[in-house]
Amino acid sequence: MSLRQLLLRLPCYLGASGPRRGPLDTISSVVSWRGQSSRSPAHWNQVVSEAEKIVGYPTSFMSLRCLLSDELSNIAMQVRKLVGTQHPLLTTASQRSLAEITELIHTALLVHRGIVNLDELQSSDGPLKDMQFGNKIAILSGDFLLANACNGLALLQNTKVVELLASALMDLVQGVYHENSTSAKENHITDDIGILTWKEQTFLSHGALLAKSCQAAMELAKHDAEVQDMAFQYGKHMAMSHKINSDLQPFIKEKTSDSLTFNLNSAPVVLHQEFLGRDLWIKQIREAQRKGRLDYAKLRETIKAGKGVTSAIDLCRYHGNKALEALESFPPSEARTALENIVFAVTRFS
């Protein structure tokens, strides 16, 4: 399910002109990342389903095949005939295009991040020639998606929106660079980045695109700077809350595979290290190593016994509350309720 699409499309209904819709509807149209809440799948699906009813179509329909199809291109050509008129469809179609562009950028990033490090290639991974070919396809595919996103941005004919999405893309690249430079491997002790640095890097790699896309959705709906900032704050804190929720999953799931690995630079681990101190953390890492490999099951239990997990849950809820505070600036509506429910879905852990 495409949450990023949903979050960006909902603001369309908050921000579209006319008495039918309010500014928040525009944000939800831009916010469509794919995520799983800590609540039961049934409840999560219910929250998403209710939000989709407001948007008017299932976000899962927005597949790449749809985005790049001739049929959609034909519809876009017909909609362009409305340029210069006051028809409300024009505003809504510009916001839907923004949601699609955001999803293209996000998907391109995922494709590029799927490139295999050939230096770490094992015989079981496949022939070197095939893996090299796969990397080339991944690079070309990601670049193709980014090119389509850039083309779509130009067609929006809004300089500020182009600037916002371009800066979000720059943030993404910078964030991924930081992630790669501080990545923790089995034989590498996690860097002492601290939670403040973690939050800065996480915003760049996970929050900037959503936050600035939400702001751009409000710009397309012709809302003022104050409303745009509230949309930005919602997207920023919603993204942070969602990322922390994802980081927490290996530590809060009732049934977790002993072989399940987790990122040593994830929120619960970083917080655990801060409470423990650098020296004791290194000691715990070494105690969890067996024959040169890290015993994640043992380390996970050690972390769960500390304060890192509960602190991460508190931090997740903090960002969720900040996202809800941003929504309070908008008048009550079905779209606002849907966006609130999405926050509730990623901040409840019981």
Side-chain angles (χ1 to χ4, degrees):
M1 186 59 63
S2 178
L3 180 56
R4 185 172 291 99
Q5 284 283 350
L6 189 59
L7 291 179
L8 289 182
R9 282 299 299 157
L10 284 176
C12 291
Y13 299 92
L14 297 174
S17 58
R20 300 159 299 131
R21 299 173 176 177
L24 275 191
D25 300 321
T26 310
I27 297 179
S28 35
S29 66
V30 178
V31 185
S32 79
W33 62 65
R34 292 169 177 77
Q36 179 67 38
S37 77
S38 57
R39 306 177 75 171
S40 63
H43 187 277
W44 174 254
N45 290 340
Q46 180 182 356
V47 168
V48 173
S49 178
E50 291 174 353
E52 287 179 335
K53 292 177 183 178
I54 300 173
V55 172
Y57 60 87
T59 54
S60 57
F61 172 73
M62 300 306 297
S63 63
L64 289 179
R65 179 180 298 179
C66 171
L67 297 182
L68 306 177
S69 67
D70 293 337
E71 291 81 1
L72 192 62
S73 299
N74 183 53
I75 293 175
M77 291 179 62
Q78 300 304 319
V79 170
R80 290 191 192 105
K81 295 180 180 179
L82 297 175
V83 174
T85 72
Q86 298 300 316
H87 198 288
L89 173 63
L90 187 61
T91 300
T92 301
S94 295
Q95 291 163 346
R96 175 166 175 170
S97 295
L98 175 62
E100 296 166 359
I101 291 166
T102 300
E103 188 68 10
L104 280 173
I105 294 174
H106 177 68
T107 304
L109 176 68
L110 293 179
V111 171
H112 277 161
R113 295 181 75 169
I115 295 173
V116 176
N117 186 348
L118 298 178
D119 293 334
E120 300 176 358
L121 191 66
Q122 300 179 6
S123 58
S124 59
D125 294 329
L128 176 61
K129 183 181 296 185
D130 292 344
M131 301 303 285
Q132 289 175 330
F133 178 76
N135 279 355
K136 292 178 181 179
I137 293 298
I139 293 172
L140 291 174
S141 299
D143 290 348
F144 174 74
L145 295 177
L146 285 176
N148 275 272
C150 292
N151 182 60
L153 274 176
L155 293 176
L156 290 178
Q157 299 182 354
N158 186 303
T159 303
K160 184 174 181 179
V161 170
V162 172
E163 291 176 351
L164 282 170
L165 271 293
S167 66
L169 183 57
M170 180 179 66
D171 291 338
L172 272 173
V173 174
Q174 184 178 349
V176 172
Y177 173 80
H178 283 303
E179 280 187 356
N180 291 339
S181 62
T182 59
S183 62
K185 300 178 182 179
E186 289 187 352
N187 296 322
H188 178 74
I189 298 177
T190 180
D191 295 304
D192 187 13
I193 62 174
I195 193 61
L196 292 180
T197 302
W198 180 90
K199 291 175 73 171
E200 292 174 357
Q201 294 180 3
T202 300
F203 171 74
L204 291 175
S205 58
H206 292 83
L209 179 60
L210 183 59
K212 293 182 178 181
S213 294
C214 287
Q215 180 181 352
M218 291 306 186
E219 162 67 21
L220 286 177
K222 303 188 186 311
H223 286 286
D224 59 29
E226 182 178 356
V227 174
Q228 290 183 30
D229 182 63
M230 289 299 100
F232 176 93
Q233 294 301 325
Y234 174 83
K236 170 186 174 180
H237 291 290
M238 179 62 209
M240 296 294 290
S241 182
H242 183 271
K243 178 60 168 65
I244 298 170
N245 179 289
S246 177
D247 285 354
L248 279 163
Q249 293 309 304
F251 302 95
I252 63 176
K253 285 183 177 179
E254 295 182 1
K255 296 182 179 180
T256 303
S257 172
D258 290 340
S259 61
L260 179 66
T261 62
F262 51 87
N263 193 327
L264 295 183
N265 282 327
S266 62
V269 182
V270 171
L271 287 166
H272 173 77
Q273 178 182 340
E274 280 204 340
F275 282 114
L276 201 63
R278 178 69 172 171
D279 293 338
L280 288 178
W281 169 238
I282 294 177
K283 181 180 178 181
Q284 287 185 351
I285 286 284
R286 289 173 176 168
E287 290 176 348
Q289 287 180 330
R290 294 180 179 178
K291 297 180 180 179
R293 296 181 66 86
L294 193 59
D295 185 345
Y296 280 94
K298 180 178 180 178
L299 187 60
R300 181 169 56 246
E301 294 305 314
T302 301
I303 294 172
K304 288 172 65 175
K307 299 180 181 179
V309 174
T310 55
S311 297
I313 291 175
D314 290 340
L315 185 61
C316 179
R317 289 172 173 165
Y318 166 79
H319 285 289
N321 287 333
K322 297 296 286 186
L324 294 175
E325 288 178 13
L327 290 179
E328 290 177 358
S329 303
F330 299 96
S333 66
E334 289 183 345
R336 170 175 156 175
T337 299
L339 290 169
E340 290 170 342
N341 288 338
I342 291 173
V343 175
F344 296 145
V346 297
T347 54
R348 180 171 293 183
F349 295 90
S350 59

